[in-house]
Every structure is written in C-alpha cells, then in structure tokens.
Amino acid sequence: MKYSERAKQCVNPTAQRLLNLMDEKQTNLAVAADVTKKFELLKIADTLGPEICILKTHIDIVEDFDKELIDELQNLSEQHNFLFFEDRKFADIGNTVKHQYRDGIYHISDWAHIVNAHTVPGPGIIDGLKEVGLPKGRGLLLLAEMSSAGTLAKESYTKETLKMAQENKDFVIGFITMRQLLDDPCFINLTPGVKLAVGSDSLGQQYNTPEEVIYEQKSDIIIVGRGIYQSDDPLAEAKKYREAGWQAYQKRITT
Ligand code: BMP
C-alpha cells in the first residue's frame, strides 16, 4: 500500500500528516541531526530540509540551546515541509515522563510532532505521555527493537511492546524497529542504523543499506545520521539516500 493510502486508515493526525507528506514530497528519509551547536542544527535543517520527511533531534546535546532555536527550526519546518521527531527515548513512570515531555527547559510537546519511548516501565509510560501529547495531536513511537549490538529489545520484550501499541492506536503511530513487525498500515516503522554500505561503528552501532531496510525488511523510513552530516557534501549525500530509500519503496509497492 502507498503511504498516502495508509494515511486514510489512521486516526492519529500526525500519522496521517507524515504518511501524506512522504508521498507528496517523495521522500522516506529522516535525518538524525546529532550536532551540538545551534548553527550546525539550523544549517542541517535549512540545507537538508527539502530532502527529508523528518528532522530527528537530540535537543539535549545542543550546548547553546535557547527558545530562538525552536522558533527558527519551526520556521524551517514550515518552509521545507518536514516534521520534528525528538528522539528523547522516555523511560520512566507515567507521572515523570509527563513532566519531561511538557515542562523543563525544552517544552518538547510544544514543538516535537513525534517523540519516542522505551516500554520497560510498562503501559503507564504511554498513559502519561498521552495525557500531554494527544490533545495536541502528537504521535508516539515505541522502541520495539534497537540497531545496536547486544540489544535486549527482542523476543518477548518486542512482542509486549507491539501489544502496548495496539492498545493505544490513537496515540502510538509506530515503532523504532529494524523491520516491519505488524501487518497494520497505521503503524509507521522507522529504522536507524542505515548507511549506503553495511558495517558498524566502534560503539555497537550496526548499519544496513536503504534497500535492505525498506525493500527486504519492509520498514517505512530510514534514519540516517553520520552517513550524511559527516560527509564532505551533506546535501549531495542526502540526495543519494533519498533516492535509494524512495526507489526501494517504489520497488516494494509495485512488486
Ligand atoms: P547514525 O546514523 O549516525 O549512526 O545515527 C543514528 C541515530 O539513530 C542516532 O541519533 C541514534 O540516537 C538513533 N538510534 C539508533 O542509532 N539506534 C536505535 O536503535 C535507536 C535510535 O534512536
């Protein structure tokens, strides 16, 4: 099914918006902007914005963070039509994550269309995040699997995570996963650990290619960080990933 056909079946407005945006803009590329300075983050958002469906942030690594950064990022998101995914990986009890999502320095729920959570605390984490995010039309991804070597997110942990998602379809819009885990068009699968060549880094990250992730494993969105922002020409490299991810999607929906 095309992303936009899937959008019609979803109840969550962020899921609908993302799936429609991907087909309209013809991109299933999310860039992981893991940089520590405002100007670097803004440069990535402005230069790569036209190529991506999602800008994935780790806002707490930005050393000179201030409110203006969010204002400027929001302007760029409107100008280039991409969504924000704050990769906060909430992992506490419902009451605590509610505050972490809404309050503090970052006020994540005010600007991040999408956030994610570990399921290790149990379903209360979803309830807490939902209290804040659902009235704002936000979406949540659950970490069903991870890309790193030796991850404990597998087998029964992954299965329980899927169950929690199915019980919260109004707010949970998909998964961080290495593959499609459920045959349900409303769950969007996002896969990190993507490079044009298979490999690993020195700290446990493991890489697969866009073709493997989107075509073979039937995931929906490739998340690419260092493969793009550490290259000599990030824009040219982003275009390569965009093309590879889109071709793999075209091949999947036509075969
Ligand atoms: P890189 O492409 O540079 O390896 O970056 C991958 C990005 O995806 C990082 O921001 C990391 O935090 C995130 N990520 C991951 O690598 N594996 C996971 O299982 C979950 C993640 O969020």
Side-chain angles (χ1 to χ4, degrees):
M1 244 200 267
K2 287 180 65 174
Y3 297 132
S4 48
E5 285 164 16
R6 289 165 57 181
K8 292 179 199 141
Q9 303 196 20
C10 304
V11 285
N12 182 284
T14 295
Q16 287 174 354
R17 189 170 160 200
L18 176 58
L19 288 164
N20 282 323
L21 183 165
M22 287 159 75
D23 265 350
E24 273 163 31
K25 203 171 164 184
Q26 305 203 335
T27 176
N28 54 15
L29 171 64
V31 162
D34 295 339
V35 290
T36 56
K37 295 279 187 287
K38 259 171 68 170
F39 83 92
E40 295 172 308
L41 184 50
L42 288 167
K43 192 168 171 206
I44 289 175
D46 197 19
T47 313
L48 307 185
E51 310 299 325
I52 60 177
C53 57
I54 287 177
L55 185 77
K56 188 177 83 62
T57 53
H58 281 297
I59 206 68
D60 57 352
I61 68 174
V62 178
E63 290 168 355
D64 48 354
F65 174 87
D66 58 16
K67 175 73 176 65
E68 280 70 52
L69 172 62
I70 297 301
D71 295 341
E72 288 177 59
L73 283 173
Q74 281 179 319
N75 288 340
L76 291 169
S77 126
E78 274 162 38
Q79 187 184 332
H80 299 308
N81 193 23
F82 60 79
L83 300 187
F84 291 112
F85 164 22
E86 165 55 25
D87 190 359
R88 174 62 180 77
K89 296 190 181 71
F90 295 105
D92 214 319
I93 59 167
N95 187 59
T96 302
V97 297
K98 213 169 77 178
H99 289 299
Q100 291 172 325
Y101 188 20
R102 188 184 59 199
D103 306 322
I105 295 169
Y106 303 112
H107 300 278
I108 294 169
S109 65
D110 285 349
W111 55 271
H113 305 97
I114 301 166
V115 291
N116 56 354
H118 288 294
T119 50
V120 69
I125 189 169
I126 302 175
D127 298 338
L129 293 169
K130 200 195 270 199
E131 273 188 25
V132 175
L134 199 61
K136 292 175 184 273
R138 306 302 193 200
L140 175 70
L141 301 170
L142 298 180
L143 284 119
E145 292 185 326
M146 291 194 71
S147 62
S148 40
T151 175
L152 303 181
K154 57 182 182 181
E155 298 159 7
S156 62
Y157 183 90
T158 302
K159 274 199 202 117
E160 292 298 322
T161 301
L162 301 182
K163 253 192 252 164
M164 288 186 214
Q166 286 166 314
E167 282 157 14
N168 291 279
K169 281 186 73 172
D170 51 348
F171 186 49
V172 176
I173 63 166
F175 304 102
I176 296 298
T177 172
M178 300 301 105
R179 74 204 85 228
Q180 182 196 58
L181 292 166
L182 288 174
D183 189 16
D184 180 328
C186 290
F187 289 126
I188 307 169
N189 302 292
L190 287 82
T191 301
V194 177
K195 269 200 174 170
L196 289 170
V198 172
S200 57
D201 73 4
S202 60
L203 296 171
Q205 176 69 299
Q206 306 174 115
Y207 291 109
N208 278 310
T209 64
E211 161 93 5
E212 169 69 19
V213 167
I214 301 291
Y215 181 70
E216 300 289 343
Q217 303 302 332
K218 301 185 170 65
S219 188
D220 297 309
I221 294 178
I222 49 171
I223 299 176
V224 185
R226 286 165 285 178
I228 291 177
Y229 69 77
Q230 281 187 349
S231 79
D232 293 338
D233 187 345
L235 178 57
E237 210 59 21
K239 286 179 192 285
K240 281 190 212 163
Y241 279 94
R242 176 185 186 175
E243 181 68 19
W246 196 253
Q247 272 182 10
Y249 163 64
Q250 292 295 324
K251 189 168 151 191
R252 194 175 94 204
I253 58 171
T254 52
T255 53

